[in-house]
């Protein structure tokens, strides 16, 4: 019997939508099933930083993936904007990592991961570039290639581009179970009935973790809270990134300030303590922010894995899994989508990345050091 679709994707977050777009662009028949609405999970909450150098210290296979993904945005953003008719507010003028102490300055001056124009700037030069910075900083680590965009708009635009290439997206439909027969996955059971597919891909993020009940997965939630403000006049010129806080000025003047890190927490509230801490760190870094008007606050739940590496591979039963991108899922979405589409389409891909992101714990290797945990 013919399946209902060739590839069925569970979850319309940034991973699911990026994969759907890349698959349907290559001519595959794709259906996405989303229990709520497009980009209603972590992908709605993200600050949208594309921090391939600000988020990694040192080098390694995982960072190579992140760097390649960051580079892909340059061609992918215009392509997706044209197909979707949306503006995703892509800003590509770099990030600054302000530093307060001599020890940090030495660390950054020695840091591996230089390249792509990254350089140390003493305070005077840093303040010339971003006059709103506190005059007490020691200097900044300037990363000209780390950009940013609006994550919700990016995810929605990917979904629209996927639809334009033939993807069917069913919202408000929950996948209750992944179905298998004779040890092979063949579809899903939803609240509206069974859907059969040649390939099933899990992109359900933290909210969908219960569907992955195999023992090889260690997936846990890390809640993050953010707020946004607007300055009475003007805007910041650069995204600012420190261990305590990041400040992300959007094109239209809204400034995102984030984010808390609460491992094991998947609740939806936003606490006074978290917002107070973020605002304090933000004003310390950019004193004029004390006069900014608060616009909104929100939270989201990042999908994190036991060893910090995403799962991008296939189980013994044939289920494809693409999740666990933790705090860099927007950055990684560009290459994750095209890389997984190539794999599902039977194309050869880099073996070392296949091993790194494998579902089988015996095959996964290496680790990742995150720069800091704002
Ligand atoms: C506060 C915060 C700030 C962040 N900032 C950044 C940043 O600046 N840069 C960056 O790169 N990343 C950032 N991230 C991380 C990024 O948001 C995530 O890594 C990414 O959004 C994960 O995407 P996803 O598609 O895997 O999951 P999600 O976006 O959570 O999508 C999963 C989808 O699956 C659906 N689903 C779940 N279960 C089912 C089911 N049973 N049936 C049907 N559908 C289901 C959900 O409803 C959801 O829509 C941030 C995250 C947070 C919380």
């Amino acid at each position: 019997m013919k399946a209902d679709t060739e590839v069925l994707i569970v979850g319309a977050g940034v991973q699911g939508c990026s994969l759907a777009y890349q698959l349907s662009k290559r001519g595959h028949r794709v259906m996405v099933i989303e229990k709520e609405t497009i980009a209603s999970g972590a992908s709605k909450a993200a600050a949208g930083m594309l921090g391939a150098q600000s988020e990694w210290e040192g080098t390694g296979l995982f960072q190579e993936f992140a760097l390649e993904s960051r580079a892909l945005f340059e061609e992918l953003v215009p392509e997706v904007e044209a197909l979707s008719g949306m503006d995703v507010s892509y800003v590509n003028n770099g990030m600054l990592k302000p530093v307060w102490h001599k020890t940090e300055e030495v660390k950054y001056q020695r840091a591996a991961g230089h390249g792509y124009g990254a350089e140390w700037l003493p305070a005077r030069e840093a303040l010339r570039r971003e006059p709103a910075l506190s005059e007490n900083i020691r200097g900044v680590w300037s990363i000209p290639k780390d950009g940013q965009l609006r994550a919700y708009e990016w995810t929605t635009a990917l979904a629209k581009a996927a639809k334009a290439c033939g993807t069917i997206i069913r919202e408000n439909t929950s996948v209750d179970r992944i179905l298998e027969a004779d040890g092979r996955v063949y579809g899903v059971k939803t609240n509206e009935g069974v859907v059969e597919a040649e390939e099933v891909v899990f992109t359900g993020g933290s909210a969908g973790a219960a569907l992955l009940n195999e023992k090889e997965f260690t997936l846990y939630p890390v809640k993050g809270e953010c707020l946004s403000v607007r300055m009475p006049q003007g805007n910041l010129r650069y995204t600012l990134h420190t261990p305590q806080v990041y400040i992300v000025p959007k094109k239209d003047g809204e400034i995102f300030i984030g984010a808390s890190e609460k491992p094991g927490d998947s609740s939806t509230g936003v606490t006074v303590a978290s917002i107070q801490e973020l605002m304090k760190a933000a004003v310390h870094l950019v004193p004029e922010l004390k006069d900014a008007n608060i616009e909104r606050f929100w939270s989201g739940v990042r999908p994190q894995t036991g060893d910090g590496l995403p799962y991008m591979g296939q189980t013994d039963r044939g289920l494809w899994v693409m999740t666990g991108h933790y705090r860099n899922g927007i950055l990684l979405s560009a290459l994750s989508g095209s890389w997984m589409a190539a794999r599902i389409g039977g194309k050869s891909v880099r073996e070392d990345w296949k091993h790194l992101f494998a579902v089988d714990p015996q095959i996964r290797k290496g680790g990742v050091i995150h720069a800091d945990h704002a």
Side-chain angles (χ1 to χ4, degrees):
M1 201 182 79
K2 199 164 179 280
D4 299 303
T5 184
E6 185 190 345
V7 186
L8 188 149
I9 298 174
V10 181
V14 76
Q15 304 305 330
C17 294
S18 179
L19 178 62
Y21 171 56
Q22 293 291 348
L23 282 168
S24 48
K25 190 169 101 170
R26 289 163 170 76
H28 296 280
R29 218 155 46 93
V30 182
M31 183 189 291
V32 182
I33 299 188
E34 165 55 51
K35 72 177 168 127
E36 294 183 19
T37 51
I38 293 162
S40 54
S43 305
K44 185 181 186 176
M49 291 178 295
L50 307 175
Q53 285 175 281
S54 50
E55 284 278 314
W56 272 263
E57 279 179 10
T59 52
L61 278 179
F62 191 16
Q63 195 199 18
E64 279 176 34
F65 193 91
L67 288 164
E68 209 166 294
S69 194
R70 182 183 70 181
L72 254 186
F73 278 88
E74 301 226 5
E75 62 188 72
L76 205 51
V77 165
E79 184 181 307
V80 169
E81 284 186 333
L83 275 167
S84 64
M86 287 179 68
D87 174 359
V88 302
S89 294
Y90 181 51
V91 177
N92 197 15
N93 70 340
M95 282 192 205
L96 304 179
K97 284 188 90 162
V99 158
W100 302 92
H101 305 292
K102 174 81 182 160
T103 45
E104 291 171 285
E105 176 184 338
V106 171
K107 182 180 92 175
Y108 283 118
Q109 281 179 332
R110 285 201 197 124
H114 290 209
Y116 304 94
E119 59 180 338
W120 170 256
L121 303 177
R124 206 150 60 106
E125 176 57 16
L127 282 157
R128 198 186 60 77
R129 299 229 185 146
E130 179 51 84
L133 272 168
S134 162
E135 288 178 1
N136 297 323
I137 57 156
R138 214 175 159 89
V140 298
W141 182 238
S142 161
I143 305 170
K145 293 280 181 193
D146 275 358
Q148 49 116 340
L149 42 65
R150 278 192 180 263
Y152 175 77
E153 281 74 2
W154 172 239
T155 308
T156 308
L158 283 166
K160 284 193 174 177
K163 281 186 194 170
C165 297
T167 290
I168 295 167
I169 303 188
R170 285 172 59 179
E171 296 177 82
N172 302 305
T173 307
S174 168
V175 170
D176 300 331
R177 205 149 47 88
I178 290 166
L179 300 172
E180 68 177 90
D182 303 324
R184 294 299 294 174
V185 166
Y186 70 90
V188 298
K189 183 176 173 307
T190 76
N191 60 328
E192 293 176 354
V194 168
V195 183
E196 296 192 6
E198 290 167 32
E199 308 289 346
V200 177
V201 191
F202 172 86
T203 59
S206 183
L211 291 171
L212 297 176
N213 52 10
E214 295 94 334
K215 59 181 180 323
E216 59 259 46
F217 295 105
T218 47
L219 200 63
Y220 66 94
V222 184
K223 178 173 160 178
E225 294 146 290
C226 291
L227 74 149
S228 75
V229 301
R230 228 172 252 274
M231 313 247 259
Q233 274 173 349
N235 195 359
L236 298 175
R237 296 181 187 170
Y238 290 94
T239 296
L240 305 172
H241 188 293
T242 74
Q244 294 76 32
V245 71
Y246 51 71
I247 303 177
V248 190
K250 299 297 171 188
K251 263 186 187 170
D252 68 350
E254 187 179 9
I255 299 173
F256 286 21
I257 300 176
S260 61
E261 287 264 336
K262 296 183 170 172
D265 190 344
S266 50
S267 62
T268 53
V270 176
T271 68
V272 172
S274 296
I275 297 303
Q276 192 181 28
E277 215 172 292
L278 290 170
M279 289 198 299
K280 191 172 162 213
V283 171
H284 184 53
L285 195 59
V286 178
E288 320 178 20
L289 282 178
K290 69 178 185 317
D291 298 319
N293 291 303
I294 297 179
E295 197 143 299
R296 57 193 175 112
F297 46 81
W298 65 91
S299 71
V301 182
R302 312 169 181 93
Q304 171 64 309
T305 63
D307 59 7
L309 295 164
Y311 291 114
M312 288 194 280
Q314 198 175 24
T315 66
D316 292 345
R317 317 183 284 152
L319 174 68
W320 292 98
V321 178
M322 182 182 179
T323 192
H325 296 75
Y326 183 40
R327 47 186 280 147
N328 287 296
I330 306 301
L331 161 68
L332 299 169
S333 64
L335 186 56
S336 296
S338 62
W339 192 74
M340 284 292 286
R343 288 193 67 183
I344 293 166
K347 302 279 181 294
S348 63
V349 296
R350 264 178 70 166
E351 281 296 315
D352 49 6
W353 283 341
K354 239 164 106 174
H355 282 231
L356 192 70
F357 304 130
V359 169
D360 184 334
Q362 302 303 321
I363 301 174
R364 288 166 81 86
K365 57 176 188 183
V368 60
I369 303 159
H370 274 284
D372 37 44
H373 291 275

